């Protein structure tokens, strides 16, 4: 009691007899007022004194613990008022830690979590995919999804190699290069198409599938080149092959004749078969010269 006549009781005490703390206060006769800020670390929704004698009793927000709501359990983020899991944990308020073995079946390089997703996010190793890194798509293979499947190359794209796409449709087969993790393919070129991609037909060959001789050549698959010197006795202006590409065809110079221009007929003579022969006149006609015809028989 206070006052000159001991008739005044401060508000922190009960007014009837002034012998205990008022509502919301504790520790008579100091009678400190319980507050969320002072006694619950500002982490409580309500606070009341315990029997008005010893201390305050906090009703904590979210998952704060401790007498003064000052402890945020492991796995819970205090920066969110203890209302969300830390990165790497899921399942608030149970805060289960994400693990590569438990959540990514050991097929990930790392694992984390986010408040925006209800489950752990795996950073899958190699080409594993799916939420738990459990899928190895059909273009991949290997115990750790770390090589291309058969018939594919170029890890980690692993394109399917085909004759049409990679050998210009000029191959009998295509296989990935002989390597544990091939990055290219090997074409088995058909006929005489050239490696590596069966795109080029060498000049000695021709045809739509590089399966005949080229121009001026004969006898597939040797495809010997016809030449004026070798096939026309060096007595022709041009030489080519016949339509069957089995023989060379010479265009003989002057009056040379024969398949190889090696014959100078008897009515002609000269080093290049370019003059009339004996008893013949008037080149290039070289008619036969006779007494009866040209000398009246005299």
């Amino acid at each position: 009691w206070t006052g000159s006549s001991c008739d005044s009781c401060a508000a922190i005490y009960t007014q009837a007899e002034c012998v205990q703390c008022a509502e919301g206060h504790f520790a008579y006769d100091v009678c400190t007022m319980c507050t969320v800020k002072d006694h619950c670390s500002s982490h409580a929704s309500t606070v009341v004194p315990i029997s008005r004698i010893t201390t305050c009793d906090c009703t904590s927000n979210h998952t704060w613990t401790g007498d003064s709501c000052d402890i945020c359990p492991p796995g819970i983020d205090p920066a969110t008022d203890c209302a969300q899991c830390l990165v790497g944990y899921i399942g608030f308020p149970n805060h289960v830690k994400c693990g590569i073995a438990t959540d990514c079946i050991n097929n990930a390089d790392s694992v984390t979590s986010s408040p925006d997703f209800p489950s752990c996010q795996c950073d899958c190793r190699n080409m594993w995919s799916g939420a738990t890194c459990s899928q190895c798509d059909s273009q991949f293979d290997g115990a750790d999804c770390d090589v291309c499947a058969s018939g594919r190359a170029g890890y980690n794209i692993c394109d399917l190699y085909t004759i049409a796409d990679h050998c210009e449709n000029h191959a009998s087969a295509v296989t990935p290069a002989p390597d544990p993790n091939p990055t290219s393919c090997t074409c088995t070129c058909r006929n005489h198409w050239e490696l590596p991609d069966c795109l080029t037909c060498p000049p000695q060959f021709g045809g739509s599938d590089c399966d005949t001789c080229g121009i001026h050549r004969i006898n597939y698959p040797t495809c010997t080149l016809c030449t004026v010197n070798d096939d026309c006795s060096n007595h022709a202006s041009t030489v080519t092959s016949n339509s069957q590409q089995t023989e060379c065809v010479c265009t003989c110079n002057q009056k040379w004749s024969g398949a190889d221009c090696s014959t100078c007929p008897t009515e002609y003579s000269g080093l290049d078969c370019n003059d009339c022969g004996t008893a013949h006149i008037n080149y290039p006609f070289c008619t036969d010269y006779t007494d009866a015809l040209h000398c009246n028989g005299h």
Side-chain angles (χ1 to χ4, degrees):
W1 292 100
T2 61
S4 57
S5 57
C6 298
D7 59 355
S8 177
C9 185
I12 62 175
Y13 305 109
T14 56
Q15 298 301 301
E17 297 183 5
C18 211
V19 293
Q20 57 182 328
C21 294
E23 186 74 25
H25 296 71
F26 75 100
Y28 186 85
D29 58 356
V30 177
C31 290
T32 302
M33 183 177 182
C34 290
T35 68
V36 168
K37 178 181 180 181
D38 294 334
H39 300 92
C40 307
S41 306
S42 294
H43 296 152
S45 56
T46 61
V47 60
V48 294
I50 299 176
S51 71
R52 303 184 188 179
I53 298 174
T54 53
T55 188
C56 301
D57 183 20
C58 302
T59 302
S60 65
N61 290 332
H62 308 304
T63 55
W64 291 102
T65 62
D67 291 340
S68 58
C69 300
D70 58 349
I71 299 172
C72 193
I76 306 297
D77 188 0
T80 64
D81 198 20
C82 214
Q84 290 181 352
C85 290
L86 284 167
V87 172
Y89 291 80
I90 60 170
F92 181 84
N94 297 320
H95 52 275
V96 178
K97 187 174 183 178
C98 296
I100 290 177
T102 55
D103 297 285
C104 313
I105 59 173
N106 273 331
N107 290 336
D109 290 323
S110 63
V111 62
T112 187
S113 66
S114 166
D116 299 326
F117 296 95
S119 60
C120 300
Q121 288 92 59
C122 301
D123 179 17
C124 298
R125 186 174 59 253
N126 299 327
M127 297 310 297
W128 291 105
S129 61
T132 60
C133 302
S134 60
Q135 300 172 13
C136 187
D137 292 340
S138 59
Q139 66 264 44
F140 307 111
D141 204 351
D144 201 20
C145 201
D146 55 350
V147 297
C148 291
S150 177
R152 295 176 178 269
Y155 188 84
N156 52 12
I157 298 174
C158 293
D159 281 333
L160 180 64
Y161 279 81
T162 67
I163 290 174
D165 292 336
H166 299 88
C167 307
E168 302 296 330
N169 227 11
H170 296 154
S172 57
V174 58
T175 56
D179 187 278
N181 219 336
T183 57
S184 62
C185 66
T186 299
C187 300
T188 303
C189 295
R190 191 170 58 245
N191 300 325
H192 295 279
W193 294 103
E194 289 188 328
L195 294 171
D197 54 6
C198 306
L199 176 63
T200 302
C201 185
Q204 65 267 39
F205 302 106
S208 60
D209 200 22
C210 203
D211 57 352
T212 63
C213 288
I215 190 169
H216 307 317
R217 293 177 180 269
I218 61 171
N219 297 329
Y220 181 86
T222 306
C223 293
T224 303
L225 179 66
C226 293
T227 68
V228 168
N229 185 61
D230 293 336
D231 300 286
C232 306
S233 307
N234 211 20
H235 295 154
S237 56
T238 61
V239 63
T240 186
S241 59
N242 64 1
S243 59
Q244 295 79 29
Q245 295 185 311
T246 56
E247 296 179 347
C248 297
V249 179
C250 302
T251 303
C252 297
N253 286 329
Q254 313 302 343
K255 293 301 180 176
W256 292 104
S257 65
D260 60 355
C261 302
S262 62
T263 301
C264 186
T266 57
E267 62 265 37
Y268 301 103
S269 66
L271 292 176
D272 200 20
C273 199
N274 59 347
D275 202 354
C276 289
T278 302
H280 291 77
I281 62 172
N282 199 19
Y283 185 86
F285 304 105
C286 294
T287 54
D288 190 13
Y289 182 86
T290 65
D291 288 344
L293 181 62
H294 295 93
C295 301
N296 295 316
H298 301 145

